[in-house]
Amino acid sequence: MKTYITRINGWSLRDKSHYMQHMVAEAAHQLGCREMGIYRYYAEDESGESLSSRLDGIIAGINRGDLVICQFPTGNGMRFEHALVFRLKAYGARIAVLIHELEALADEGNKSLLGSIVELYNQAEVLIVPTYAMRQWLIDNGIHKGMKFVVQEMWDYTVRESLFNTPTFRKEIYFTDSEGFEGMADWNDSVPLNLYNASAGQGNVRNLGEREPYQLLSELNRGGGFGLVWYRDTYSCQYMEKSNSFSLARYLAAGMPVIVPAGGAHQTLVEMNHLGLAVNTLEEATALIERMTEGEYREYIKAVEQFAPAVQNGYFTKKCLCEAMQAFYRKDAGRLPLPERVYETGECVFRSSVLRESYGGNVAFSWDFQGEAEGFLIYDTKGVLLGNTWDLHQHYLLLKKLESENGVIIKAYVETLKGKLVLAESEPAYLQEWSFDSPKVSMVIPAFNAENYIARCIDTVLAQSQSDVEIIVVDDGSSDRTPEIIDWYAEKYGNIVAIHQENSGVAAARNTGMMHANGEYIGFMDNDDLLYPSMVERLYQSAKKNDCDIAVTSVYLVSNIEYANLVRYSIKEDEPITADSFFAHIVTGMSLG
């Protein structure tokens, strides 16, 4: 018994499909597989007699019981592929299909091919699919229930020679796919776009032209910035939720961090391994890059350096090929394991969700969630997906281009092998007129040159579940747009007071804020802080219940990597203690992150 793998010959190395088939075949050779060469040609007009002779030559070495891994599509058309599989089965071969691309999903114009594709795949014993989402989609569209599946997870990009360079810190984006994306032709963002394809672009765009695969990899390795994986339209966005991107593997093999769409197949892998940014819009991506420091970029580079050898050495490909060869002999191959736990939806609830107007024509959406989940989906009330985040600490999202009559709904979910399981859903949140009475709490915010984050800071105070909160923002002589931003908020919201003074330092700014405070309690925060939606309410209620003068809370440090403890008090929650005891805890029991 021998194992074979097909490989298409006759394509240019610049062609992505040829390169992918070549790479998979090389990995299979290292596992002891033999090659079944197929020449790329125009097969649709070939006579039946000629096709039969061609197929006899291709499979001449096949014996009954041999294993054949077919890399589809071949590029020779469905007629050729059906005939190849029929002939292989006639000779007694056992077939697995490695799906490079699913034409019926990749292009809306190919939907008519779906029936023929499913019929073809049902002739195999094993299907190697990109993702669990693709597995489920195929089952939903006619693949028989007994099919054995192997999930590839992601593409490799094997490297012949060592790459010695480390990408440098540049606020730039690189795009290497042959097909463009919406907005590429007139890219006018401040972050430059570098195109490695034949497309033309205007604005802040550099057209670098096409390259051979190894030359392209080397140039990316000598460059810097971020590699972009993006969709060209809504249809291709849906396809990316189920399929793998070869460009993603190329960027990572070159040592370059990446930008991927939130909600796509690779969001979790990228975020969990800190390989780059998962964003809802390209505007969000460029804003993050503009604010990024060299130290933050270096953290991404370190994470990519640790991950890249798995891609460069073909480990994902070898893993799925080994699993496919095992699947021929295992009755339990491809069966989904039982879930480790049962999720009780009653344990998960959204306690509040708030939608407020934010500076710059945006709206800020905040929520307060209780329970265990793995991520959040944000929709408008028409059912359009606005965002997706797996960060359970996140409770604030800035939204763009939301129609004023639309509300926003957030859903908590867990990932299952059949897709996302929604555990809880918030009530719709709509923009409402702000009403304000006498304040119970005054939040004082000193602000100095904080144009990049002061709006976010104010937004999270506006979203507090304690509605009667006064917000006093003291501009301490800023030279950027901070005064303009806080004046906009003060004009928009009756509970916000904007104060401007000459630069005197943060302590003087806090003192100025206290002099203008009208609340029963006064709270302090820095201009780059965020508040959890229920923080003020919980501290205020605890202080009132226990008749305390001061209420304190622990603090997290938010970075691009994680939420880390910055200040943590070793005292019981909602329990009064004396001032002397508190200071003793600070000296002996407070944890500094």
mmCIF file of all heavy atoms in Angstrom, residues 493-524:
data_model
loop_
_atom_site.group_PDB
_atom_site.id
_atom_site.type_symbol
_atom_site.label_atom_id
_atom_site.label_comp_id
_atom_site.label_asym_id
_atom_site.label_seq_id
_atom_site.Cartn_x
_atom_site.Cartn_y
_atom_site.Cartn_z
ATOM 1 N N TYR A 493 -23.412 67.834 26.569
ATOM 2 C CA TYR A 493 -23.952 67.172 27.755
ATOM 3 C C TYR A 493 -23.993 68.140 28.940
ATOM 4 O O TYR A 493 -22.982 68.746 29.291
ATOM 5 C CB TYR A 493 -23.110 65.946 28.112
ATOM 6 C CG TYR A 493 -23.166 64.840 27.082
ATOM 7 C CD1 TYR A 493 -22.158 64.691 26.127
ATOM 8 C CD2 TYR A 493 -24.241 63.952 27.051
ATOM 9 C CE1 TYR A 493 -22.210 63.681 25.180
ATOM 10 C CE2 TYR A 493 -24.301 62.944 26.107
ATOM 11 C CZ TYR A 493 -23.289 62.810 25.171
ATOM 12 O OH TYR A 493 -23.359 61.810 24.233
ATOM 13 N N GLY A 494 -25.173 68.210 29.575
ATOM 14 C CA GLY A 494 -25.355 69.155 30.670
ATOM 15 C C GLY A 494 -24.619 68.798 31.937
ATOM 16 O O GLY A 494 -24.459 69.648 32.822
ATOM 17 N N ASN A 495 -24.139 67.561 32.073
ATOM 18 C CA ASN A 495 -23.432 67.165 33.301
ATOM 19 C C ASN A 495 -21.920 67.269 33.158
ATOM 20 O O ASN A 495 -21.172 66.828 34.039
ATOM 21 C CB ASN A 495 -23.805 65.733 33.679
ATOM 22 C CG ASN A 495 -23.355 64.723 32.639
ATOM 23 O OD1 ASN A 495 -23.455 64.972 31.440
ATOM 24 N ND2 ASN A 495 -22.880 63.576 33.082
ATOM 25 N N ILE A 496 -21.444 67.825 32.032
ATOM 26 C CA ILE A 496 -19.995 67.950 31.805
ATOM 27 C C ILE A 496 -19.587 69.413 31.895
ATOM 28 O O ILE A 496 -20.203 70.285 31.269
ATOM 29 C CB ILE A 496 -19.588 67.358 30.444
ATOM 30 C CG1 ILE A 496 -19.897 65.862 30.406
ATOM 31 C CG2 ILE A 496 -18.103 67.609 30.165
ATOM 32 C CD1 ILE A 496 -19.536 65.194 29.095
ATOM 33 N N VAL A 497 -18.554 69.680 32.677
ATOM 34 C CA VAL A 497 -18.004 71.030 32.847
ATOM 35 C C VAL A 497 -16.578 71.028 32.306
ATOM 36 O O VAL A 497 -15.758 70.186 32.695
ATOM 37 C CB VAL A 497 -18.005 71.447 34.332
ATOM 38 C CG1 VAL A 497 -17.378 72.825 34.499
ATOM 39 C CG2 VAL A 497 -19.415 71.402 34.907
ATOM 40 N N ALA A 498 -16.292 71.951 31.388
ATOM 41 C CA ALA A 498 -14.948 72.095 30.837
ATOM 42 C C ALA A 498 -14.291 73.332 31.444
ATOM 43 O O ALA A 498 -14.856 74.430 31.408
ATOM 44 C CB ALA A 498 -14.992 72.215 29.322
ATOM 45 N N ILE A 499 -13.091 73.156 32.003
ATOM 46 C CA ILE A 499 -12.352 74.263 32.628
ATOM 47 C C ILE A 499 -10.981 74.343 31.957
ATOM 48 O O ILE A 499 -10.322 73.315 31.739
ATOM 49 C CB ILE A 499 -12.181 74.027 34.140
ATOM 50 C CG1 ILE A 499 -13.554 73.904 34.813
ATOM 51 C CG2 ILE A 499 -11.363 75.136 34.780
ATOM 52 C CD1 ILE A 499 -13.489 73.475 36.257
ATOM 53 N N HIS A 500 -10.546 75.530 31.623
ATOM 54 C CA HIS A 500 -9.251 75.730 30.973
ATOM 55 C C HIS A 500 -8.368 76.589 31.880
ATOM 56 O O HIS A 500 -8.805 77.624 32.386
ATOM 57 C CB HIS A 500 -9.436 76.414 29.616
ATOM 58 C CG HIS A 500 -10.357 75.673 28.684
ATOM 59 N ND1 HIS A 500 -9.939 74.629 27.912
ATOM 60 C CD2 HIS A 500 -11.686 75.837 28.434
ATOM 61 C CE1 HIS A 500 -10.963 74.172 27.205
ATOM 62 N NE2 HIS A 500 -12.045 74.895 27.516
ATOM 63 N N GLN A 501 -7.135 76.168 32.064
ATOM 64 C CA GLN A 501 -6.189 76.946 32.863
ATOM 65 C C GLN A 501 -4.796 76.802 32.263
ATOM 66 O O GLN A 501 -4.531 75.906 31.452
ATOM 67 C CB GLN A 501 -6.192 76.456 34.314
ATOM 68 C CG GLN A 501 -5.668 75.047 34.506
ATOM 69 C CD GLN A 501 -5.690 74.614 35.979
ATOM 70 O OE1 GLN A 501 -6.532 75.027 36.744
ATOM 71 N NE2 GLN A 501 -4.712 73.780 36.348
ATOM 72 N N GLU A 502 -3.909 77.685 32.648
ATOM 73 C CA GLU A 502 -2.518 77.566 32.220
ATOM 74 C C GLU A 502 -1.904 76.322 32.845
ATOM 75 O O GLU A 502 -2.318 75.870 33.918
ATOM 76 C CB GLU A 502 -1.725 78.808 32.638
ATOM 77 C CG GLU A 502 -2.157 80.079 31.923
ATOM 78 C CD GLU A 502 -1.269 81.260 32.309
ATOM 79 O OE1 GLU A 502 -0.317 81.057 33.102
ATOM 80 O OE2 GLU A 502 -1.536 82.368 31.828
ATOM 81 N N ASN A 503 -0.897 75.786 32.163
ATOM 82 C CA ASN A 503 -0.281 74.545 32.637
ATOM 83 C C ASN A 503 0.313 74.735 34.026
ATOM 84 O O ASN A 503 1.196 75.561 34.243
ATOM 85 C CB ASN A 503 0.805 74.093 31.660
ATOM 86 C CG ASN A 503 1.422 72.777 32.075
ATOM 87 O OD1 ASN A 503 2.547 72.742 32.575
ATOM 88 N ND2 ASN A 503 0.695 71.691 31.905
ATOM 89 N N SER A 504 -0.228 73.952 34.988
ATOM 90 C CA SER A 504 0.212 74.068 36.381
ATOM 91 C C SER A 504 0.497 72.716 37.003
ATOM 92 O O SER A 504 0.823 72.634 38.186
ATOM 93 C CB SER A 504 -0.873 74.784 37.209
ATOM 94 O OG SER A 504 -1.205 76.036 36.648
ATOM 95 N N GLY A 505 0.322 71.638 36.240
ATOM 96 C CA GLY A 505 0.581 70.306 36.776
ATOM 97 C C GLY A 505 -0.702 69.599 37.179
ATOM 98 O O GLY A 505 -1.749 70.214 37.406
ATOM 99 N N VAL A 506 -0.605 68.249 37.273
ATOM 100 C CA VAL A 506 -1.798 67.442 37.505
ATOM 101 C C VAL A 506 -2.411 67.710 38.875
ATOM 102 O O VAL A 506 -3.640 67.704 39.031
ATOM 103 C CB VAL A 506 -1.471 65.941 37.308
ATOM 104 C CG1 VAL A 506 -0.479 65.457 38.360
ATOM 105 C CG2 VAL A 506 -2.732 65.099 37.348
ATOM 106 N N ALA A 507 -1.602 67.958 39.898
ATOM 107 C CA ALA A 507 -2.145 68.204 41.245
ATOM 108 C C ALA A 507 -2.963 69.486 41.265
ATOM 109 O O ALA A 507 -4.072 69.524 41.835
ATOM 110 C CB ALA A 507 -1.011 68.276 42.259
ATOM 111 N N ALA A 508 -2.452 70.530 40.622
ATOM 112 C CA ALA A 508 -3.187 71.796 40.572
ATOM 113 C C ALA A 508 -4.486 71.636 39.783
ATOM 114 O O ALA A 508 -5.520 72.224 40.124
ATOM 115 C CB ALA A 508 -2.317 72.877 39.938
ATOM 116 N N ALA A 509 -4.443 70.823 38.720
ATOM 117 C CA ALA A 509 -5.648 70.601 37.927
ATOM 118 C C ALA A 509 -6.710 69.874 38.747
ATOM 119 O O ALA A 509 -7.907 70.200 38.676
ATOM 120 C CB ALA A 509 -5.307 69.807 36.668
ATOM 121 N N ARG A 510 -6.294 68.898 39.557
ATOM 122 C CA ARG A 510 -7.250 68.198 40.424
ATOM 123 C C ARG A 510 -7.854 69.168 41.446
ATOM 124 O O ARG A 510 -9.059 69.125 41.728
ATOM 125 C CB ARG A 510 -6.558 67.037 41.137
ATOM 126 C CG ARG A 510 -6.242 65.860 40.233
ATOM 127 C CD ARG A 510 -5.937 64.608 41.050
ATOM 128 N NE ARG A 510 -5.570 63.500 40.180
ATOM 129 C CZ ARG A 510 -4.341 63.055 39.993
ATOM 130 N NH1 ARG A 510 -3.331 63.621 40.635
ATOM 131 N NH2 ARG A 510 -4.118 62.050 39.182
ATOM 132 N N ASN A 511 -7.018 70.039 42.008
ATOM 133 C CA ASN A 511 -7.524 71.017 42.984
ATOM 134 C C ASN A 511 -8.552 71.946 42.341
ATOM 135 O O ASN A 511 -9.573 72.287 42.949
ATOM 136 C CB ASN A 511 -6.373 71.823 43.573
ATOM 137 C CG ASN A 511 -5.519 70.997 44.525
ATOM 138 O OD1 ASN A 511 -6.009 70.033 45.118
ATOM 139 N ND2 ASN A 511 -4.260 71.367 44.675
ATOM 140 N N THR A 512 -8.277 72.373 41.107
ATOM 141 C CA THR A 512 -9.237 73.214 40.382
ATOM 142 C C THR A 512 -10.559 72.480 40.202
ATOM 143 O O THR A 512 -11.643 73.037 40.397
ATOM 144 C CB THR A 512 -8.666 73.614 39.011
ATOM 145 O OG1 THR A 512 -7.468 74.360 39.190
ATOM 146 C CG2 THR A 512 -9.678 74.439 38.221
ATOM 147 N N GLY A 513 -10.473 71.195 39.829
ATOM 148 C CA GLY A 513 -11.682 70.407 39.651
ATOM 149 C C GLY A 513 -12.471 70.274 40.934
ATOM 150 O O GLY A 513 -13.716 70.370 40.924
ATOM 151 N N MET A 514 -11.783 70.056 42.058
ATOM 152 C CA MET A 514 -12.481 69.912 43.339
ATOM 153 C C MET A 514 -13.227 71.179 43.716
ATOM 154 O O MET A 514 -14.321 71.130 44.288
ATOM 155 C CB MET A 514 -11.483 69.539 44.435
ATOM 156 C CG MET A 514 -11.065 68.083 44.420
ATOM 157 S SD MET A 514 -10.211 67.596 45.927
ATOM 158 C CE MET A 514 -8.728 68.573 45.816
ATOM 159 N N MET A 515 -12.625 72.334 43.399
ATOM 160 C CA MET A 515 -13.272 73.601 43.748
ATOM 161 C C MET A 515 -14.582 73.794 43.000
ATOM 162 O O MET A 515 -15.464 74.517 43.462
ATOM 163 C CB MET A 515 -12.321 74.772 43.458
ATOM 164 C CG MET A 515 -11.166 74.878 44.452
ATOM 165 S SD MET A 515 -10.209 76.397 44.242
ATOM 166 C CE MET A 515 -9.472 76.130 42.639
ATOM 167 N N HIS A 516 -14.736 73.156 41.852
ATOM 168 C CA HIS A 516 -15.948 73.305 41.053
ATOM 169 C C HIS A 516 -16.904 72.122 41.230
ATOM 170 O O HIS A 516 -17.973 72.105 40.620
ATOM 171 C CB HIS A 516 -15.591 73.437 39.568
ATOM 172 C CG HIS A 516 -14.946 74.741 39.217
ATOM 173 N ND1 HIS A 516 -13.606 74.988 39.435
ATOM 174 C CD2 HIS A 516 -15.457 75.881 38.665
ATOM 175 C CE1 HIS A 516 -13.312 76.209 39.018
ATOM 176 N NE2 HIS A 516 -14.419 76.770 38.556
ATOM 177 N N ALA A 517 -16.548 71.150 42.044
ATOM 178 C CA ALA A 517 -17.356 69.938 42.180
ATOM 179 C C ALA A 517 -18.593 70.192 43.029
ATOM 180 O O ALA A 517 -18.540 70.874 44.058
ATOM 181 C CB ALA A 517 -16.512 68.822 42.799
ATOM 182 N N ASN A 518 -19.723 69.605 42.631
ATOM 183 C CA ASN A 518 -20.991 69.753 43.339
ATOM 184 C C ASN A 518 -21.506 68.430 43.898
ATOM 185 O O ASN A 518 -22.574 68.398 44.501
ATOM 186 C CB ASN A 518 -22.041 70.338 42.390
ATOM 187 C CG ASN A 518 -21.658 71.712 41.894
ATOM 188 O OD1 ASN A 518 -21.502 72.644 42.687
ATOM 189 N ND2 ASN A 518 -21.488 71.842 40.588
ATOM 190 N N GLY A 519 -20.792 67.351 43.671
ATOM 191 C CA GLY A 519 -21.266 66.040 44.071
ATOM 192 C C GLY A 519 -21.094 65.766 45.553
ATOM 193 O O GLY A 519 -20.282 66.392 46.243
ATOM 194 N N GLU A 520 -21.850 64.771 46.027
ATOM 195 C CA GLU A 520 -21.726 64.329 47.409
ATOM 196 C C GLU A 520 -20.371 63.666 47.632
ATOM 197 O O GLU A 520 -19.778 63.780 48.706
ATOM 198 C CB GLU A 520 -22.873 63.363 47.705
ATOM 199 C CG GLU A 520 -22.970 62.880 49.125
ATOM 200 C CD GLU A 520 -24.118 61.923 49.327
ATOM 201 O OE1 GLU A 520 -24.985 61.799 48.409
ATOM 202 O OE2 GLU A 520 -24.158 61.274 50.393
ATOM 203 N N TYR A 521 -19.907 62.949 46.621
ATOM 204 C CA TYR A 521 -18.570 62.347 46.634
ATOM 205 C C TYR A 521 -17.804 62.855 45.423
ATOM 206 O O TYR A 521 -18.397 63.240 44.407
ATOM 207 C CB TYR A 521 -18.650 60.815 46.566
ATOM 208 C CG TYR A 521 -19.045 60.147 47.858
ATOM 209 C CD1 TYR A 521 -20.384 60.050 48.227
ATOM 210 C CD2 TYR A 521 -18.083 59.617 48.712
ATOM 211 C CE1 TYR A 521 -20.758 59.439 49.412
ATOM 212 C CE2 TYR A 521 -18.442 59.005 49.901
ATOM 213 C CZ TYR A 521 -19.779 58.918 50.244
ATOM 214 O OH TYR A 521 -20.137 58.304 51.417
ATOM 215 N N ILE A 522 -16.480 62.839 45.525
ATOM 216 C CA ILE A 522 -15.615 63.251 44.426
ATOM 217 C C ILE A 522 -14.733 62.074 44.041
ATOM 218 O O ILE A 522 -14.120 61.434 44.902
ATOM 219 C CB ILE A 522 -14.731 64.461 44.806
ATOM 220 C CG1 ILE A 522 -15.603 65.669 45.145
ATOM 221 C CG2 ILE A 522 -13.775 64.815 43.665
ATOM 222 C CD1 ILE A 522 -14.818 66.871 45.628
ATOM 223 N N GLY A 523 -14.681 61.774 42.725
ATOM 224 C CA GLY A 523 -13.813 60.715 42.212
ATOM 225 C C GLY A 523 -12.746 61.300 41.313
ATOM 226 O O GLY A 523 -12.929 62.375 40.714
ATOM 227 N N PHE A 524 -11.614 60.625 41.219
ATOM 228 C CA PHE A 524 -10.505 61.105 40.397
ATOM 229 C C PHE A 524 -10.127 60.034 39.380
ATOM 230 O O PHE A 524 -10.094 58.843 39.690
ATOM 231 C CB PHE A 524 -9.280 61.430 41.258
ATOM 232 C CG PHE A 524 -9.528 62.523 42.258
ATOM 233 C CD1 PHE A 524 -9.789 62.227 43.586
ATOM 234 C CD2 PHE A 524 -9.510 63.854 41.868
ATOM 235 C CE1 PHE A 524 -10.022 63.218 44.517
ATOM 236 C CE2 PHE A 524 -9.742 64.864 42.791
ATOM 237 C CZ PHE A 524 -10.000 64.543 44.114
#
